[in-house]
Amino acid sequence: MYNILKSAHSGWRYIVLILLVIAVINALSGWLGNKTYTESNRKLNVFTLISAHIQLLIGLVLYFLSPLTKLPMSDAIGRYFKAEHTSMMIIAIILITVGNAKSKKMTDAVAKHRTIAVFFGLALILIIAAILLMVKDVPGRSFFGVS
């Protein structure tokens, strides 16, 4: 079961990243182009939120099953998976959730786009940074490789 969840978590990251990139580009376009906030904008943001939460749930299960989280904090791999990866990803999910919630409360379309662009953009930067740290700290891992 661990290997299935690990593969699912590694593969699902592409869905999260693709949706997040599309949502950020879409929000920047709406913000800078003074466009209206449409139902398709809302759906894209909700799908991005849902995909990120699914990734979080798979990751939390893996956290308790993984032998990597049993390694000591003095080990770079153990520290990465116990603290760095986990905290960075949870913060990214919080940013996505807060950004989506804040945008729903706004009435101005440009403000909605700006809020999504800022919060989702910060989450995207954090997620990419966490993946790059993994590539640096964990031997045999690559940014694009499913592991």
Side-chain angles (χ1 to χ4, degrees):
M1 181 160 130
Y2 169 73
N3 286 330
I4 292 169
L5 286 173
K6 184 177 159 191
S7 294
H9 190 66
S10 291
W12 194 260
R13 73 177 165 196
Y14 295 111
I15 293 169
V16 174
L17 282 172
I18 290 167
L19 285 172
L20 202 49
V21 167
I22 292 169
V24 169
I25 291 170
N26 189 39
L28 284 170
S29 171
W31 175 20
L32 301 175
N34 291 327
K35 296 180 182 174
T36 59
Y37 189 83
T38 64
E39 181 64 15
S40 63
N41 295 132
R42 187 193 68 78
K43 285 180 181 177
L44 173 63
N45 297 335
V46 169
F47 288 141
T48 304
L49 173 84
I50 291 169
S51 71
H53 279 92
I54 290 170
Q55 182 74 336
L56 173 66
L57 290 175
I58 297 169
L60 287 174
V61 172
L62 278 173
Y63 183 84
F64 293 106
L65 294 177
S66 176
L68 298 173
T69 58
K70 315 255 184 308
L71 295 172
M73 286 288 278
S74 59
D75 185 302
I77 297 171
R79 184 184 64 252
Y80 174 76
F81 283 107
K82 278 183 177 178
E84 295 166 3
H85 180 79
T86 306
S87 59
M88 290 173 82
M89 294 304 179
I90 288 173
I91 292 168
I93 302 293
I94 290 169
L95 286 168
I96 292 168
T97 305
V98 169
N100 189 62
K102 281 180 154 295
S103 76
K104 287 193 315 190
K105 294 177 184 174
M106 297 179 169
T107 55
D108 180 45
V110 173
K112 285 180 182 251
H113 286 300
R114 181 180 57 241
T115 301
I116 292 295
V118 169
F119 280 90
F120 282 33
L122 289 172
L124 179 61
I125 291 167
L126 203 55
I127 290 169
I128 290 172
I131 293 170
L132 291 174
L133 270 175
M134 176 189 64
V135 171
K136 180 178 102 22
D137 288 345
V138 183
R141 299 281 174 110
S142 67
F143 188 85
F144 293 108
V146 176
S147 53

